[in-house]
Amino acid sequence: MATASPSVFLLMVNGQVESAQFPEYDDLYCKYCFVYGQDWAPTAGLEEGISQITSKSQDMRQVLVWNFPIDVTFKSTNPYGWPQIVLSVYGPDVFGNDVVRGYGAVHVPFSPGRHKRTIPMFVPESTSKMQKFTSWFTGRRPEYTDPKVVAQGEGREVTRVRSQGFVTLLFNVVTKDMRKLGYDTGPLDTQGVSWPSPPQGFPQ
């Protein structure tokens, strides 16, 4: 009896928001959420999360370490709208108010395996010196009402931003049934399971 061909494929993502470098700031925490197309739907895990507050390491690197876990599974019928993870980093200003210290986004890696990504972060800027002083004095810095706008193109060209900091992510990606639907994600082993290519110099 022939088995029915799959109508959807699965994308399983786990890993962690590992660390960040913000030389000018300390005591930061991170929020993440996923943005994806209309044909995608989460089937397990968490679409968003908020980390603990962390302080800089005491060595020369001055790294902020979160090691905050990510674990989510999506299903879809086509790759259009492939999920992106959006990061927002917050911390206290001189008055103790929580203000945004950086936004960033990156696509979930397309190929199965273990991946490391370093995301450059940015913050919106006030359009005038008066607005900049007022926002500093009141503790209300420019920020997006919905961080998901970071992963979209509309309206971004009219936003003034400034680069600030980096966040490092670790991804472990597994796909299921993509090849059966005609999508090539990597070489096959003898059982027909898709695996990442071994690094150069690694015995096959």
Side-chain angles (χ1 to χ4, degrees):
M1 182 176 176
T3 57
S5 59
S7 59
V8 299
F9 63 83
L10 297 179
L11 172 67
M12 291 158 274
V13 183
N14 64 47
Q16 58 188 18
V17 183
E18 185 184 62
S19 61
Q21 290 180 307
F22 285 84
E24 299 176 14
Y25 304 111
D26 203 356
D27 299 327
L28 305 181
Y29 65 93
C30 178
K31 295 180 182 180
Y32 78 82
C33 63
F34 284 93
V35 177
Y36 44 85
Q38 294 181 350
D39 295 326
W40 291 77
T43 61
L46 297 175
E47 288 184 69
E48 55 186 31
I50 180 170
S51 76
Q52 76 280 11
I53 297 173
T54 188
S55 300
K56 287 180 181 176
S57 59
Q58 299 302 310
D59 57 13
M60 293 287 291
R61 298 175 303 154
Q62 295 191 321
V63 177
L64 295 142
V65 178
W66 288 303
N67 289 332
F68 188 67
I70 301 167
D71 191 359
V72 66
T73 300
F74 295 97
K75 68 177 181 180
S76 181
T77 55
N78 71 81
Y80 181 77
W82 192 273
Q84 298 180 64
I85 185 170
V86 175
L87 300 172
S88 311
V89 176
Y90 296 85
D93 63 8
V94 293
F95 302 110
N97 302 304
D98 262 6
V99 295
V100 66
R101 294 306 188 192
Y103 292 106
V106 69
H107 279 93
V108 171
F110 299 105
S111 59
R114 186 175 176 85
H115 306 268
K116 190 171 187 175
R117 296 286 186 270
T118 299
I119 307 172
M121 307 294 282
F122 64 89
V123 288
E125 284 267 77
S126 299
T127 55
S128 70
K129 289 184 179 180
M130 178 60 72
Q131 287 180 331
K132 192 171 185 178
F133 173 77
T134 303
S135 64
W136 174 81
F137 186 74
T138 60
R140 300 188 63 174
R141 308 293 176 89
E143 61 180 271
Y144 297 117
T145 54
D146 182 3
K148 292 183 178 181
V149 72
V150 174
Q152 299 160 359
E154 295 106 13
R156 287 283 304 277
E157 71 278 0
V158 298
T159 306
R160 179 182 294 181
V161 299
R162 172 170 50 89
S163 297
Q164 184 169 278
F166 296 89
V167 173
T168 299
L169 295 173
L170 289 177
F171 293 102
N172 297 300
V173 177
V174 177
T175 59
K176 183 177 185 293
D177 292 334
M178 286 196 73
R179 189 173 290 271
K180 291 180 180 178
L181 291 173
Y183 302 112
D184 185 7
T185 58
L188 289 174
D189 72 351
T190 53
Q191 266 69 45
V193 179
S194 181
W195 295 95
S197 301
Q200 291 185 351
F202 192 82
Q204 300 190 30

